[in-house]
Amino acid sequence: MDKRMPAKSGFTMIESLFSLGIIMLMLFLALPNLHDVENFIDDQEQWRQKIYHTQLKAMISKTRTELETTGVTFNAFGNIHHAATITLDGHKCIFQLGSGRFYFE
């Protein structure tokens, strides 16, 4: 039988803390960029909800309803009155004719 000490393998606590510190620094530098992406998505999502709410309101009330003060109106069937491209809080929104469908660019 070999009575020698087993070989030490693995990382020391100092090496682990050093590696963890580097990972935390990289995450800390990346977080501000992720925050800007969330704001961009949140603005679009808020407008998307407003548009769907206005479209649904027009269908339920069976009357022509305007999307805030944008000039875009939905008829009683939820279809858009005319095709339009408008800017909503810096985001370009394209409304397609007839269907009430839209998308952001």
Side-chain angles (χ1 to χ4, degrees):
M1 273 178 57
D2 191 12
K3 295 193 178 210
R4 285 185 278 170
M5 296 284 291
K8 292 184 179 181
S9 61
F11 299 107
T12 65
M13 183 175 271
I14 298 293
E15 291 170 332
S16 298
L17 288 174
F18 183 73
S19 300
L20 185 62
I22 291 174
I23 292 170
M24 294 300 290
L25 180 65
M26 289 172 37
L27 285 174
F28 179 72
L29 294 174
L31 284 179
N33 294 335
L34 295 176
H35 184 68
D36 291 340
V37 170
E38 285 178 11
N39 287 342
F40 180 76
I41 293 171
D42 287 344
D43 289 343
Q44 281 189 359
E45 187 59 33
Q46 287 175 359
W47 275 108
R48 186 172 281 114
Q49 289 176 6
K50 287 179 186 179
I51 293 168
Y52 285 136
H53 179 266
T54 305
Q55 187 178 22
L56 187 61
K57 184 178 175 183
M59 291 170 27
I60 290 172
S61 66
K62 298 290 184 196
T63 59
R64 184 176 301 273
T65 307
E66 183 177 359
L67 174 63
E68 294 188 358
T69 57
T70 60
V72 175
T73 57
F74 293 95
N75 65 15
F77 299 106
N79 296 333
I80 198 161
H81 184 257
H82 63 280
T85 300
I86 60 174
T87 303
L88 303 170
D89 292 338
H91 305 292
K92 188 175 177 182
C93 184
I94 294 100
F95 290 90
Q96 298 172 343
L97 183 62
S99 65
R101 299 288 182 234
F102 63 93
Y103 63 93
F104 287 95
E105 266 189 3

